[in-house]
Amino acid sequence: DTGVSQDPRHKITKRGQNVTFRCDPISEHNRLYWYRQTLGQGPEFLTYFQNEAQLEKSRLLSDRFSAERPKGSFSTLEIQRTEQGDSAMYLCASSHGGGSSGNTIYFGEGSWLTVV
Amino acid sequence: QKEVEQNSGPLSVPEGAIASLNCTYSDRGSQSFFWYRQYSGKSPELIMSIYSNGDKEDGRFTAQLNKASQYVSLLIRDSQPSDSATYLCAVNRGATNKLIFGTGTLLAVQP
């Protein structure tokens, strides 16, 4: 499978616990994105990386959220002290290059988070 | 005003009919436009991209772009029950390649 891979696919956690999601992008893609999607809404941009550099973070991304891409390959998204409002599907996506036509963004299957 | 607006639907069409999905965007600097299909509980799947004014056809799908009116549409010909899904319009404003999504339109194709 050469698509975007996310793990775990489903996570149920108690409020206050920390969770971490992993994303493996398509191998030749240097851009990696994290989005969050709640029921009835479109995906909301959280952050993106070009190689290992985190170039933009949304105002939606509170201090409890941190993302890394240490070697410019896989990425992790950690949520500390989870709250019920964090329950959502967390989508990872990747693309080759950026800024011009043809740099299509491909999504992974998503990681569902339920905070109880 | 939201950056990307779509009618949430549901849009109900009979099998074999043409489904017409519409999207407007607010940023005139937007450069690239995409339609994603999302089945319930699944992630978005790219079905069409369009970058210049006019029509772009791919099989049963036609994307239409009018930058002057800041309007993008998707036509699905010969609609099938398997086309029933939420269709997300997404806009790329350029340098960051960041996509801004609408809330999606739920399409229901009735057999």
Side-chain angles (χ1 to χ4, degrees), chain A residues 31 33 35 37 41-43 45 56 89 91 95 99 101-105 107-109, chain B residues 31-32 36 38 41-44 46 51 88 94-99 101-103:
Chain A
R31 288 204 169 200
Y33 309 80
Y35 283 79
Q37 188 176 22
Q41 301 297 314
F45 170 79
E56 187 174 345
M89 179 166 65
L91 290 160
S95 72
S101 63
N103 295 315
T104 302
I105 294 176
F107 283 87
E109 291 296 317
Chain B
Q31 298 182 356
S32 307
Y36 284 80
Q38 188 173 30
K42 302 295 186 181
S43 64
L46 180 70
Y51 308 106
L88 296 162
T96 67
N97 206 34
K98 179 176 71 177
L99 290 181
F101 284 86
T103 55

PDB file of all heavy atoms in Angstrom, chain A residues 31 33 35 37 41-43 45 56 89 91 95 99 101-105 107-109, chain B residues 31-32 36 38 41-44 46 51 88 94-99 101-103:
ATOM      1  N   ARG A  31       5.442  17.363   1.619  1.00  0.00           N
ATOM      2  CA  ARG A  31       4.518  18.146   2.431  1.00  0.00           C
ATOM      3  C   ARG A  31       3.553  17.210   3.156  1.00  0.00           C
ATOM      4  O   ARG A  31       3.037  16.253   2.568  1.00  0.00           O
ATOM      5  CB  ARG A  31       3.750  19.137   1.573  1.00  0.00           C
ATOM      6  CG  ARG A  31       4.634  20.278   1.098  1.00  0.00           C
ATOM      7  CD  ARG A  31       3.846  21.499   0.784  1.00  0.00           C
ATOM      8  NE  ARG A  31       4.745  22.641   0.586  1.00  0.00           N
ATOM      9  CZ  ARG A  31       4.374  23.896   0.678  1.00  0.00           C
ATOM     10  NH1 ARG A  31       3.115  24.189   0.966  1.00  0.00           N
ATOM     11  NH2 ARG A  31       5.230  24.876   0.477  1.00  0.00           N
ATOM     12  N   TYR A  33       0.252  17.286   6.075  1.00  0.00           N
ATOM     13  CA  TYR A  33      -0.770  18.132   6.674  1.00  0.00           C
ATOM     14  C   TYR A  33      -1.545  17.342   7.729  1.00  0.00           C
ATOM     15  O   TYR A  33      -1.758  16.137   7.580  1.00  0.00           O
ATOM     16  CB  TYR A  33      -1.791  18.595   5.619  1.00  0.00           C
ATOM     17  CG  TYR A  33      -1.177  19.206   4.384  1.00  0.00           C
ATOM     18  CD1 TYR A  33      -0.660  18.416   3.369  1.00  0.00           C
ATOM     19  CD2 TYR A  33      -1.127  20.582   4.235  1.00  0.00           C
ATOM     20  CE1 TYR A  33      -0.101  18.975   2.234  1.00  0.00           C
ATOM     21  CE2 TYR A  33      -0.575  21.160   3.105  1.00  0.00           C
ATOM     22  CZ  TYR A  33      -0.060  20.342   2.111  1.00  0.00           C
ATOM     23  OH  TYR A  33       0.494  20.900   0.985  1.00  0.00           O
ATOM     24  N   TYR A  35      -5.369  17.631   9.564  1.00  0.00           N
ATOM     25  CA  TYR A  35      -6.679  18.255   9.585  1.00  0.00           C
ATOM     26  C   TYR A  35      -7.510  17.582  10.675  1.00  0.00           C
ATOM     27  O   TYR A  35      -7.242  16.450  11.055  1.00  0.00           O
ATOM     28  CB  TYR A  35      -7.411  18.071   8.250  1.00  0.00           C
ATOM     29  CG  TYR A  35      -6.950  18.979   7.134  1.00  0.00           C
ATOM     30  CD1 TYR A  35      -5.790  18.700   6.426  1.00  0.00           C
ATOM     31  CD2 TYR A  35      -7.684  20.117   6.784  1.00  0.00           C
ATOM     32  CE1 TYR A  35      -5.369  19.542   5.397  1.00  0.00           C
ATOM     33  CE2 TYR A  35      -7.278  20.954   5.756  1.00  0.00           C
ATOM     34  CZ  TYR A  35      -6.119  20.653   5.074  1.00  0.00           C
ATOM     35  OH  TYR A  35      -5.702  21.476   4.054  1.00  0.00           O
ATOM     36  N   GLN A  37     -11.685  16.810  11.620  1.00  0.00           N
ATOM     37  CA  GLN A  37     -13.043  16.862  11.087  1.00  0.00           C
ATOM     38  C   GLN A  37     -14.033  16.363  12.125  1.00  0.00           C
ATOM     39  O   GLN A  37     -13.882  15.274  12.675  1.00  0.00           O
ATOM     40  CB  GLN A  37     -13.175  16.023   9.816  1.00  0.00           C
ATOM     41  CG  GLN A  37     -14.517  16.196   9.116  1.00  0.00           C
ATOM     42  CD  GLN A  37     -14.610  15.442   7.816  1.00  0.00           C
ATOM     43  OE1 GLN A  37     -13.874  14.476   7.588  1.00  0.00           O
ATOM     44  NE2 GLN A  37     -15.511  15.874   6.929  1.00  0.00           N
ATOM     45  N   GLN A  41     -19.165  18.678   9.466  1.00  0.00           N
ATOM     46  CA  GLN A  41     -18.272  19.763   9.048  1.00  0.00           C
ATOM     47  C   GLN A  41     -17.250  19.251   8.045  1.00  0.00           C
ATOM     48  O   GLN A  41     -16.958  18.060   7.977  1.00  0.00           O
ATOM     49  CB  GLN A  41     -17.538  20.347  10.260  1.00  0.00           C
ATOM     50  CG  GLN A  41     -18.459  20.911  11.322  1.00  0.00           C
ATOM     51  CD  GLN A  41     -19.267  22.081  10.807  1.00  0.00           C
ATOM     52  OE1 GLN A  41     -18.746  22.982  10.150  1.00  0.00           O
ATOM     53  NE2 GLN A  41     -20.563  22.086  11.096  1.00  0.00           N
ATOM     54  N   GLY A  42     -16.681  20.173   7.282  1.00  0.00           N
ATOM     55  CA  GLY A  42     -15.566  19.803   6.439  1.00  0.00           C
ATOM     56  C   GLY A  42     -14.292  19.736   7.257  1.00  0.00           C
ATOM     57  O   GLY A  42     -14.243  20.218   8.397  1.00  0.00           O
ATOM     58  N   PRO A  43     -13.249  19.144   6.709  1.00  0.00           N
ATOM     59  CA  PRO A  43     -11.965  19.105   7.429  1.00  0.00           C
ATOM     60  C   PRO A  43     -11.448  20.512   7.716  1.00  0.00           C
ATOM     61  O   PRO A  43     -11.532  21.390   6.854  1.00  0.00           O
ATOM     62  CB  PRO A  43     -11.047  18.358   6.451  1.00  0.00           C
ATOM     63  CG  PRO A  43     -11.967  17.557   5.591  1.00  0.00           C
ATOM     64  CD  PRO A  43     -13.200  18.397   5.450  1.00  0.00           C
ATOM     65  N   PHE A  45      -8.113  22.739   8.781  1.00  0.00           N
ATOM     66  CA  PHE A  45      -6.662  22.704   8.763  1.00  0.00           C
ATOM     67  C   PHE A  45      -6.101  22.911  10.167  1.00  0.00           C
ATOM     68  O   PHE A  45      -6.547  23.800  10.913  1.00  0.00           O
ATOM     69  CB  PHE A  45      -6.141  23.802   7.838  1.00  0.00           C
ATOM     70  CG  PHE A  45      -4.664  24.027   7.903  1.00  0.00           C
ATOM     71  CD1 PHE A  45      -3.796  23.176   7.243  1.00  0.00           C
ATOM     72  CD2 PHE A  45      -4.136  25.081   8.633  1.00  0.00           C
ATOM     73  CE1 PHE A  45      -2.430  23.386   7.300  1.00  0.00           C
ATOM     74  CE2 PHE A  45      -2.778  25.300   8.698  1.00  0.00           C
ATOM     75  CZ  PHE A  45      -1.927  24.443   8.025  1.00  0.00           C
ATOM     76  N   GLU A  56       3.282  26.164   9.249  1.00  0.00           N
ATOM     77  CA  GLU A  56       2.083  26.911   9.616  1.00  0.00           C
ATOM     78  C   GLU A  56       1.270  26.120  10.623  1.00  0.00           C
ATOM     79  O   GLU A  56       1.195  24.896  10.543  1.00  0.00           O
ATOM     80  CB  GLU A  56       1.213  27.201   8.378  1.00  0.00           C
ATOM     81  CG  GLU A  56       0.032  28.122   8.663  1.00  0.00           C
ATOM     82  CD  GLU A  56      -0.728  28.524   7.415  1.00  0.00           C
ATOM     83  OE1 GLU A  56      -0.211  28.339   6.301  1.00  0.00           O
ATOM     84  OE2 GLU A  56      -1.862  29.027   7.556  1.00  0.00           O
ATOM     85  N   MET A  89     -12.362  13.191  13.994  1.00  0.00           N
ATOM     86  CA  MET A  89     -11.480  12.394  13.150  1.00  0.00           C
ATOM     87  C   MET A  89     -10.278  13.271  12.793  1.00  0.00           C
ATOM     88  O   MET A  89     -10.453  14.402  12.311  1.00  0.00           O
ATOM     89  CB  MET A  89     -12.178  11.919  11.877  1.00  0.00           C
ATOM     90  CG  MET A  89     -11.257  11.113  10.965  1.00  0.00           C
ATOM     91  SD  MET A  89     -12.109  10.191   9.671  1.00  0.00           S
ATOM     92  CE  MET A  89     -12.817  11.490   8.677  1.00  0.00           C
ATOM     93  N   LEU A  91      -7.235  13.754  10.443  1.00  0.00           N
ATOM     94  CA  LEU A  91      -6.836  13.347   9.100  1.00  0.00           C
ATOM     95  C   LEU A  91      -5.423  13.831   8.806  1.00  0.00           C
ATOM     96  O   LEU A  91      -5.093  14.986   9.047  1.00  0.00           O
ATOM     97  CB  LEU A  91      -7.778  13.955   8.060  1.00  0.00           C
ATOM     98  CG  LEU A  91      -9.197  13.408   8.015  1.00  0.00           C
ATOM     99  CD1 LEU A  91     -10.127  14.386   7.329  1.00  0.00           C
ATOM    100  CD2 LEU A  91      -9.203  12.063   7.290  1.00  0.00           C
ATOM    101  N   SER A  95       1.378  15.801   0.142  1.00  0.00           N
ATOM    102  CA  SER A  95       1.455  16.233  -1.253  1.00  0.00           C
ATOM    103  C   SER A  95       2.915  16.394  -1.640  1.00  0.00           C
ATOM    104  O   SER A  95       3.805  16.488  -0.779  1.00  0.00           O
ATOM    105  CB  SER A  95       0.702  17.545  -1.468  1.00  0.00           C
ATOM    106  OG  SER A  95       1.391  18.636  -0.892  1.00  0.00           O
ATOM    107  N   GLY A  99       2.079  24.932  -3.719  1.00  0.00           N
ATOM    108  CA  GLY A  99       1.941  26.302  -4.180  1.00  0.00           C
ATOM    109  C   GLY A  99       1.530  26.444  -5.619  1.00  0.00           C
ATOM    110  O   GLY A  99       1.278  27.544  -6.071  1.00  0.00           O
ATOM    111  N   SER A 101      -0.481  24.549  -9.289  1.00  0.00           N
ATOM    112  CA  SER A 101      -1.437  23.542  -9.726  1.00  0.00           C
ATOM    113  C   SER A 101      -0.738  22.201  -9.887  1.00  0.00           C
ATOM    114  O   SER A 101       0.443  22.125 -10.213  1.00  0.00           O
ATOM    115  CB  SER A 101      -2.064  23.969 -11.043  1.00  0.00           C
ATOM    116  OG  SER A 101      -1.089  24.052 -12.054  1.00  0.00           O
ATOM    117  N   GLY A 102      -1.465  21.172  -9.639  1.00  0.00           N
ATOM    118  CA  GLY A 102      -0.938  19.827  -9.807  1.00  0.00           C
ATOM    119  C   GLY A 102      -0.430  19.206  -8.534  1.00  0.00           C
ATOM    120  O   GLY A 102      -0.122  18.034  -8.501  1.00  0.00           O
ATOM    121  N   ASN A 103      -0.305  19.979  -7.452  1.00  0.00           N
ATOM    122  CA  ASN A 103       0.188  19.394  -6.210  1.00  0.00           C
ATOM    123  C   ASN A 103      -0.985  18.908  -5.386  1.00  0.00           C
ATOM    124  O   ASN A 103      -1.368  19.511  -4.398  1.00  0.00           O
ATOM    125  CB  ASN A 103       1.019  20.426  -5.458  1.00  0.00           C
ATOM    126  CG  ASN A 103       2.263  20.785  -6.216  1.00  0.00           C
ATOM    127  OD1 ASN A 103       2.949  19.918  -6.734  1.00  0.00           O
ATOM    128  ND2 ASN A 103       2.560  22.068  -6.303  1.00  0.00           N
ATOM    129  N   THR A 104      -1.521  17.805  -5.815  1.00  0.00           N
ATOM    130  CA  THR A 104      -2.723  17.270  -5.207  1.00  0.00           C
ATOM    131  C   THR A 104      -2.442  16.761  -3.810  1.00  0.00           C
ATOM    132  O   THR A 104      -1.399  16.153  -3.544  1.00  0.00           O
ATOM    133  CB  THR A 104      -3.275  16.137  -6.076  1.00  0.00           C
ATOM    134  OG1 THR A 104      -3.524  16.654  -7.387  1.00  0.00           O
ATOM    135  CG2 THR A 104      -4.564  15.601  -5.498  1.00  0.00           C
ATOM    136  N   ILE A 105      -3.371  17.005  -2.920  1.00  0.00           N
ATOM    137  CA  ILE A 105      -3.276  16.549  -1.540  1.00  0.00           C
ATOM    138  C   ILE A 105      -4.074  15.271  -1.389  1.00  0.00           C
ATOM    139  O   ILE A 105      -5.252  15.223  -1.754  1.00  0.00           O
ATOM    140  CB  ILE A 105      -3.780  17.637  -0.581  1.00  0.00           C
ATOM    141  CG1 ILE A 105      -2.840  18.845  -0.629  1.00  0.00           C
ATOM    142  CG2 ILE A 105      -3.902  17.107   0.838  1.00  0.00           C
ATOM    143  CD1 ILE A 105      -3.305  20.015   0.200  1.00  0.00           C
ATOM    144  N   PHE A 107      -5.371  12.172   1.191  1.00  0.00           N
ATOM    145  CA  PHE A 107      -5.672  11.939   2.594  1.00  0.00           C
ATOM    146  C   PHE A 107      -5.479  10.479   2.981  1.00  0.00           C
ATOM    147  O   PHE A 107      -5.688   9.563   2.187  1.00  0.00           O
ATOM    148  CB  PHE A 107      -7.126  12.334   2.904  1.00  0.00           C
ATOM    149  CG  PHE A 107      -7.319  13.817   3.011  1.00  0.00           C
ATOM    150  CD1 PHE A 107      -7.592  14.566   1.879  1.00  0.00           C
ATOM    151  CD2 PHE A 107      -7.214  14.459   4.230  1.00  0.00           C
ATOM    152  CE1 PHE A 107      -7.763  15.942   1.969  1.00  0.00           C
ATOM    153  CE2 PHE A 107      -7.372  15.828   4.324  1.00  0.00           C
ATOM    154  CZ  PHE A 107      -7.655  16.568   3.196  1.00  0.00           C
ATOM    155  N   GLY A 108      -5.108  10.290   4.235  1.00  0.00           N
ATOM    156  CA  GLY A 108      -5.126   8.969   4.828  1.00  0.00           C
ATOM    157  C   GLY A 108      -6.531   8.601   5.275  1.00  0.00           C
ATOM    158  O   GLY A 108      -7.479   9.368   5.082  1.00  0.00           O
ATOM    159  N   GLU A 109      -6.662   7.432   5.891  1.00  0.00           N
ATOM    160  CA  GLU A 109      -7.974   6.930   6.294  1.00  0.00           C
ATOM    161  C   GLU A 109      -8.504   7.618   7.548  1.00  0.00           C
ATOM    162  O   GLU A 109      -9.669   7.474   7.876  1.00  0.00           O
ATOM    163  CB  GLU A 109      -7.907   5.416   6.530  1.00  0.00           C
ATOM    164  CG  GLU A 109      -7.687   4.614   5.253  1.00  0.00           C
ATOM    165  CD  GLU A 109      -8.852   4.766   4.293  1.00  0.00           C
ATOM    166  OE1 GLU A 109     -10.012   4.715   4.750  1.00  0.00           O
ATOM    167  OE2 GLU A 109      -8.602   4.966   3.090  1.00  0.00           O
TER     168      GLU A 109
ATOM    169  N   GLN B  31      -6.342  29.743  -6.166  1.00  0.00           N
ATOM    170  CA  GLN B  31      -5.746  29.322  -7.439  1.00  0.00           C
ATOM    171  C   GLN B  31      -6.188  27.956  -7.917  1.00  0.00           C
ATOM    172  O   GLN B  31      -6.226  27.692  -9.110  1.00  0.00           O
ATOM    173  CB  GLN B  31      -4.224  29.334  -7.299  1.00  0.00           C
ATOM    174  CG  GLN B  31      -3.647  30.694  -7.007  1.00  0.00           C
ATOM    175  CD  GLN B  31      -2.138  30.667  -6.913  1.00  0.00           C
ATOM    176  OE1 GLN B  31      -1.514  29.605  -7.002  1.00  0.00           O
ATOM    177  NE2 GLN B  31      -1.536  31.823  -6.724  1.00  0.00           N
ATOM    178  N   SER B  32      -6.441  27.067  -6.965  1.00  0.00           N
ATOM    179  CA  SER B  32      -6.751  25.684  -7.340  1.00  0.00           C
ATOM    180  C   SER B  32      -8.004  25.256  -6.597  1.00  0.00           C
ATOM    181  O   SER B  32      -8.223  25.666  -5.450  1.00  0.00           O
ATOM    182  CB  SER B  32      -5.598  24.750  -6.961  1.00  0.00           C
ATOM    183  OG  SER B  32      -4.380  25.217  -7.486  1.00  0.00           O
ATOM    184  N   TYR B  36     -13.828  16.692  -3.439  1.00  0.00           N
ATOM    185  CA  TYR B  36     -13.569  15.424  -2.771  1.00  0.00           C
ATOM    186  C   TYR B  36     -14.914  14.767  -2.469  1.00  0.00           C
ATOM    187  O   TYR B  36     -15.893  15.427  -2.144  1.00  0.00           O
ATOM    188  CB  TYR B  36     -12.824  15.635  -1.445  1.00  0.00           C
ATOM    189  CG  TYR B  36     -11.354  15.961  -1.583  1.00  0.00           C
ATOM    190  CD1 TYR B  36     -10.914  17.245  -1.887  1.00  0.00           C
ATOM    191  CD2 TYR B  36     -10.388  14.972  -1.380  1.00  0.00           C
ATOM    192  CE1 TYR B  36      -9.561  17.536  -2.001  1.00  0.00           C
ATOM    193  CE2 TYR B  36      -9.028  15.254  -1.476  1.00  0.00           C
ATOM    194  CZ  TYR B  36      -8.628  16.535  -1.787  1.00  0.00           C
ATOM    195  OH  TYR B  36      -7.293  16.819  -1.894  1.00  0.00           O
ATOM    196  N   GLN B  38     -16.740  12.011   0.081  1.00  0.00           N
ATOM    197  CA  GLN B  38     -16.539  11.390   1.382  1.00  0.00           C
ATOM    198  C   GLN B  38     -17.739  10.542   1.735  1.00  0.00           C
ATOM    199  O   GLN B  38     -18.838  11.053   1.946  1.00  0.00           O
ATOM    200  CB  GLN B  38     -16.281  12.444   2.462  1.00  0.00           C
ATOM    201  CG  GLN B  38     -15.886  11.861   3.798  1.00  0.00           C
ATOM    202  CD  GLN B  38     -15.461  12.915   4.805  1.00  0.00           C
ATOM    203  OE1 GLN B  38     -15.925  14.046   4.778  1.00  0.00           O
ATOM    204  NE2 GLN B  38     -14.566  12.548   5.720  1.00  0.00           N
ATOM    205  N   GLY B  41     -18.169   7.963   7.461  1.00  0.00           N
ATOM    206  CA  GLY B  41     -17.165   7.283   8.273  1.00  0.00           C
ATOM    207  C   GLY B  41     -15.821   7.077   7.599  1.00  0.00           C
ATOM    208  O   GLY B  41     -14.921   6.486   8.187  1.00  0.00           O
ATOM    209  N   LYS B  42     -15.696   7.569   6.365  1.00  0.00           N
ATOM    210  CA  LYS B  42     -14.445   7.403   5.616  1.00  0.00           C
ATOM    211  C   LYS B  42     -13.760   8.750   5.425  1.00  0.00           C
ATOM    212  O   LYS B  42     -14.306   9.803   5.740  1.00  0.00           O
ATOM    213  CB  LYS B  42     -14.725   6.764   4.254  1.00  0.00           C
ATOM    214  CG  LYS B  42     -15.412   5.420   4.333  1.00  0.00           C
ATOM    215  CD  LYS B  42     -14.523   4.388   4.996  1.00  0.00           C
ATOM    216  CE  LYS B  42     -15.155   3.012   4.941  1.00  0.00           C
ATOM    217  NZ  LYS B  42     -14.302   1.984   5.607  1.00  0.00           N
ATOM    218  N   SER B  43     -12.560   8.701   4.884  1.00  0.00           N
ATOM    219  CA  SER B  43     -11.809   9.936   4.650  1.00  0.00           C
ATOM    220  C   SER B  43     -12.126  10.493   3.258  1.00  0.00           C
ATOM    221  O   SER B  43     -12.649   9.780   2.398  1.00  0.00           O
ATOM    222  CB  SER B  43     -10.311   9.675   4.791  1.00  0.00           C
ATOM    223  OG  SER B  43      -9.875   8.773   3.791  1.00  0.00           O
ATOM    224  N   PRO B  44     -11.821  11.763   3.017  1.00  0.00           N
ATOM    225  CA  PRO B  44     -12.102  12.355   1.698  1.00  0.00           C
ATOM    226  C   PRO B  44     -11.253  11.723   0.593  1.00  0.00           C
ATOM    227  O   PRO B  44     -10.075  11.441   0.786  1.00  0.00           O
ATOM    228  CB  PRO B  44     -11.724  13.828   1.894  1.00  0.00           C
ATOM    229  CG  PRO B  44     -11.772  14.063   3.363  1.00  0.00           C
ATOM    230  CD  PRO B  44     -11.337  12.768   3.980  1.00  0.00           C
ATOM    231  N   LEU B  46     -10.201  12.336  -3.458  1.00  0.00           N
ATOM    232  CA  LEU B  46     -10.206  13.311  -4.539  1.00  0.00           C
ATOM    233  C   LEU B  46     -10.884  12.749  -5.788  1.00  0.00           C
ATOM    234  O   LEU B  46     -10.571  11.641  -6.219  1.00  0.00           O
ATOM    235  CB  LEU B  46      -8.770  13.709  -4.897  1.00  0.00           C
ATOM    236  CG  LEU B  46      -8.645  14.731  -6.027  1.00  0.00           C
ATOM    237  CD1 LEU B  46      -9.140  16.092  -5.572  1.00  0.00           C
ATOM    238  CD2 LEU B  46      -7.203  14.810  -6.510  1.00  0.00           C
ATOM    239  N   TYR B  51      -8.217  24.187 -12.388  1.00  0.00           N
ATOM    240  CA  TYR B  51      -7.314  25.290 -12.108  1.00  0.00           C
ATOM    241  C   TYR B  51      -7.601  26.521 -12.961  1.00  0.00           C
ATOM    242  O   TYR B  51      -7.157  27.619 -12.634  1.00  0.00           O
ATOM    243  CB  TYR B  51      -5.866  24.854 -12.347  1.00  0.00           C
ATOM    244  CG  TYR B  51      -5.508  23.591 -11.621  1.00  0.00           C
ATOM    245  CD1 TYR B  51      -5.360  22.384 -12.309  1.00  0.00           C
ATOM    246  CD2 TYR B  51      -5.330  23.572 -10.243  1.00  0.00           C
ATOM    247  CE1 TYR B  51      -5.052  21.218 -11.643  1.00  0.00           C
ATOM    248  CE2 TYR B  51      -5.016  22.411  -9.573  1.00  0.00           C
ATOM    249  CZ  TYR B  51      -4.882  21.240 -10.278  1.00  0.00           C
ATOM    250  OH  TYR B  51      -4.566  20.081  -9.615  1.00  0.00           O
ATOM    251  N   LEU B  88     -17.286  17.401  -0.906  1.00  0.00           N
ATOM    252  CA  LEU B  88     -16.588  18.522  -0.287  1.00  0.00           C
ATOM    253  C   LEU B  88     -15.894  19.353  -1.358  1.00  0.00           C
ATOM    254  O   LEU B  88     -15.133  18.824  -2.168  1.00  0.00           O
ATOM    255  CB  LEU B  88     -15.532  18.010   0.703  1.00  0.00           C
ATOM    256  CG  LEU B  88     -16.044  17.236   1.907  1.00  0.00           C
ATOM    257  CD1 LEU B  88     -14.915  16.427   2.535  1.00  0.00           C
ATOM    258  CD2 LEU B  88     -16.634  18.196   2.937  1.00  0.00           C
ATOM    259  N   GLY B  94      -2.863  29.016  -2.634  1.00  0.00           N
ATOM    260  CA  GLY B  94      -1.607  29.209  -3.357  1.00  0.00           C
ATOM    261  C   GLY B  94      -0.379  28.774  -2.617  1.00  0.00           C
ATOM    262  O   GLY B  94      -0.115  27.601  -2.479  1.00  0.00           O
ATOM    263  N   ALA B  95       0.364  29.707  -2.097  1.00  0.00           N
ATOM    264  CA  ALA B  95       1.732  29.450  -1.660  1.00  0.00           C
ATOM    265  C   ALA B  95       1.853  28.307  -0.659  1.00  0.00           C
ATOM    266  O   ALA B  95       2.791  27.522  -0.711  1.00  0.00           O
ATOM    267  CB  ALA B  95       2.336  30.716  -1.079  1.00  0.00           C
ATOM    268  N   THR B  96       0.916  28.201   0.256  1.00  0.00           N
ATOM    269  CA  THR B  96       1.043  27.178   1.275  1.00  0.00           C
ATOM    270  C   THR B  96       0.493  25.833   0.828  1.00  0.00           C
ATOM    271  O   THR B  96       0.702  24.841   1.490  1.00  0.00           O
ATOM    272  CB  THR B  96       0.287  27.595   2.550  1.00  0.00           C
ATOM    273  OG1 THR B  96      -1.110  27.612   2.260  1.00  0.00           O
ATOM    274  CG2 THR B  96       0.743  28.947   3.039  1.00  0.00           C
ATOM    275  N   ASN B  97      -0.212  25.813  -0.277  1.00  0.00           N
ATOM    276  CA  ASN B  97      -0.885  24.595  -0.716  1.00  0.00           C
ATOM    277  C   ASN B  97      -1.874  24.084   0.323  1.00  0.00           C
ATOM    278  O   ASN B  97      -2.216  22.917   0.346  1.00  0.00           O
ATOM    279  CB  ASN B  97       0.128  23.494  -1.048  1.00  0.00           C
ATOM    280  CG  ASN B  97      -0.419  22.506  -2.054  1.00  0.00           C
ATOM    281  OD1 ASN B  97      -1.170  22.869  -2.940  1.00  0.00           O
ATOM    282  ND2 ASN B  97      -0.068  21.253  -1.905  1.00  0.00           N
ATOM    283  N   LYS B  98      -2.331  24.955   1.200  1.00  0.00           N
ATOM    284  CA  LYS B  98      -3.281  24.576   2.239  1.00  0.00           C
ATOM    285  C   LYS B  98      -4.681  24.602   1.652  1.00  0.00           C
ATOM    286  O   LYS B  98      -5.068  25.540   0.977  1.00  0.00           O
ATOM    287  CB  LYS B  98      -3.185  25.579   3.385  1.00  0.00           C
ATOM    288  CG  LYS B  98      -4.135  25.330   4.527  1.00  0.00           C
ATOM    289  CD  LYS B  98      -3.884  26.313   5.657  1.00  0.00           C
ATOM    290  CE  LYS B  98      -4.327  27.710   5.314  1.00  0.00           C
ATOM    291  NZ  LYS B  98      -4.129  28.629   6.463  1.00  0.00           N
ATOM    292  N   LEU B  99      -5.433  23.538   1.901  1.00  0.00           N
ATOM    293  CA  LEU B  99      -6.799  23.463   1.418  1.00  0.00           C
ATOM    294  C   LEU B  99      -7.767  23.989   2.469  1.00  0.00           C
ATOM    295  O   LEU B  99      -7.671  23.625   3.636  1.00  0.00           O
ATOM    296  CB  LEU B  99      -7.168  22.030   1.071  1.00  0.00           C
ATOM    297  CG  LEU B  99      -6.505  21.413  -0.153  1.00  0.00           C
ATOM    298  CD1 LEU B  99      -7.020  19.996  -0.356  1.00  0.00           C
ATOM    299  CD2 LEU B  99      -6.738  22.252  -1.389  1.00  0.00           C
ATOM    300  N   PHE B 101     -11.767  23.887   3.210  1.00  0.00           N
ATOM    301  CA  PHE B 101     -12.916  23.089   2.810  1.00  0.00           C
ATOM    302  C   PHE B 101     -14.225  23.775   3.146  1.00  0.00           C
ATOM    303  O   PHE B 101     -14.335  24.496   4.140  1.00  0.00           O
ATOM    304  CB  PHE B 101     -12.902  21.740   3.539  1.00  0.00           C
ATOM    305  CG  PHE B 101     -11.917  20.765   3.001  1.00  0.00           C
ATOM    306  CD1 PHE B 101     -10.598  20.770   3.436  1.00  0.00           C
ATOM    307  CD2 PHE B 101     -12.300  19.822   2.059  1.00  0.00           C
ATOM    308  CE1 PHE B 101      -9.685  19.859   2.938  1.00  0.00           C
ATOM    309  CE2 PHE B 101     -11.389  18.904   1.560  1.00  0.00           C
ATOM    310  CZ  PHE B 101     -10.085  18.931   2.003  1.00  0.00           C
ATOM    311  N   GLY B 102     -15.241  23.496   2.324  1.00  0.00           N
ATOM    312  CA  GLY B 102     -16.602  23.804   2.703  1.00  0.00           C
ATOM    313  C   GLY B 102     -17.129  22.717   3.629  1.00  0.00           C
ATOM    314  O   GLY B 102     -16.436  21.742   3.928  1.00  0.00           O
ATOM    315  N   THR B 103     -18.376  22.887   4.055  1.00  0.00           N
ATOM    316  CA  THR B 103     -18.953  21.911   4.979  1.00  0.00           C
ATOM    317  C   THR B 103     -19.473  20.668   4.265  1.00  0.00           C
ATOM    318  O   THR B 103     -19.777  19.670   4.906  1.00  0.00           O
ATOM    319  CB  THR B 103     -20.110  22.529   5.776  1.00  0.00           C
ATOM    320  OG1 THR B 103     -21.065  23.055   4.855  1.00  0.00           O
ATOM    321  CG2 THR B 103     -19.614  23.631   6.691  1.00  0.00           C
TER     322      THR B 103
END
